[in-house]
Amino acid sequence: MGFLSVAQPTIYTVIDGTSYWHFFEILLNTSSTEKKNTEISRPPFLRRWFHNGHGPIHNLPFSHREQFIGRFETPPLRERIFHFSSGSIARLKAKANSESKSTKISFQSVSALVWRCVVRARRLPPDPETTCTMTADSRSQTDPTLPNEYFGDSVSRLTGKASVGELLDHGLGWAAWRLHEAVESHSGAAVQQWVQKWIENPVAYTCGHNSLIAKNDILTVKINNMIS
């Protein structure tokens, strides 16, 4: 009995996590049937979306590739994977909700725990600003809205901010509420404003934005593809 292993590298400036898993869903459904001509139940939506008539070509303010290509240097500790049981997550949620007097906080409690632990482990002074950045699906926030089958990159970066001292002096619920506020700010107007600012001042994201980074006085914790 044999098996086939499939690996798929992905460039996240081209497609996001939603498109990635949609592609594999199509591949799985197509390969698991004996029919020769299989109809795709949820075909990818390939029409491009451009903000307020911009595109399809947008000139970037770069004269040389070194201005937008960053070579990633692997730090001594790049990443670690932790497993939280359902019981542990439930207790974290209950603790965060009781401290913030809210029942709206969900996964932010886990994110807040990681945020506070990383900042404490870095032993930074109390004054610098620290941020926890999350990515969120923006298909429902564009104008017009995009279907879930939109094949491309349609995510926004949501950021909770606090000084090191504020984050460590307050409890888990306070940190989770800061992240909850960032999630609640994810609106169509905010997405349109971000896109317009990018058009006016384009930037290119490098590998360093996809990992845990400590640069100068600011610590950033990146949590990927957790909000839909």
Side-chain angles (χ1 to χ4, degrees):
M1 181 177 179
F3 64 91
L4 176 65
S5 177
V6 178
Q8 174 63 47
T10 300
I11 301 176
Y12 277 98
T13 54
V14 179
I15 63 171
D16 56 21
T18 300
S19 295
Y20 179 86
W21 289 113
H22 184 205
F23 167 78
F24 269 97
E25 178 185 327
I26 294 174
L27 181 64
L28 176 62
N29 293 337
T30 302
S31 60
S32 62
T33 180
E34 297 180 355
K35 297 180 181 180
K36 293 184 178 181
N37 298 317
T38 305
E39 182 178 351
I40 299 176
S41 59
R42 294 177 55 233
F45 185 83
L46 301 177
R47 187 181 304 169
R48 299 296 86 192
W49 177 84
F50 301 101
H51 176 62
N52 290 340
H54 291 277
I57 297 175
H58 186 79
N59 294 324
L60 299 178
F62 306 123
S63 57
H64 195 274
R65 61 178 179 270
E66 292 182 356
Q67 294 177 276
F68 60 87
I69 296 179
R71 302 301 178 186
F72 181 58
E73 297 181 4
T74 305
L77 177 60
R78 182 175 181 181
E79 66 180 16
R80 285 293 183 267
I81 299 175
F82 298 92
H83 173 73
F84 294 89
S85 67
S86 57
S88 296
I89 294 176
R91 288 190 293 273
L92 282 173
K93 289 181 180 180
K95 179 177 176 61
N97 288 337
S98 64
E99 291 181 0
S100 65
K101 298 180 180 180
S102 171
T103 59
K104 295 181 179 180
I105 294 174
S106 54
F107 87 96
Q108 291 94 324
S109 57
V110 178
S111 304
L113 174 68
V114 175
W115 187 15
R116 297 181 75 243
C117 287
V118 170
V119 171
R120 184 183 296 110
R122 294 288 185 180
R123 297 182 179 180
L124 299 173
D127 295 332
E129 181 185 68
T130 174
T131 63
C132 182
T133 302
M134 306 160 286
T135 55
D137 186 2
S138 294
R139 285 167 173 75
S140 62
Q141 305 294 350
T142 58
D143 183 20
T145 58
L146 297 171
N148 290 332
E149 293 76 18
Y150 176 78
F151 194 80
D153 187 347
S154 180
V155 297
S156 297
R157 289 166 176 82
L158 313 181
T159 303
K161 300 179 180 180
S163 69
V164 172
E166 286 179 324
L167 189 65
L168 299 183
D169 289 342
H170 293 83
L172 176 69
W174 185 89
W177 185 254
R178 296 307 294 262
L179 299 181
H180 176 73
E181 290 179 327
V183 173
E184 287 295 299
S185 68
H186 185 226
S187 63
V191 171
Q192 302 297 324
Q193 184 181 30
W194 183 91
V195 173
Q196 184 61 41
K197 286 184 177 180
W198 187 92
I199 292 174
E200 296 172 356
N201 184 28
V203 296
Y205 291 96
T206 61
C207 291
H209 289 273
N210 294 323
S211 60
L212 188 63
I213 36 181
K215 183 177 182 181
N216 297 331
D217 293 335
I218 300 179
L219 175 72
T220 299
V221 178
K222 180 72 178 291
I223 300 173
N224 283 313
N225 298 324
M226 298 189 69
I227 308 173
S228 61

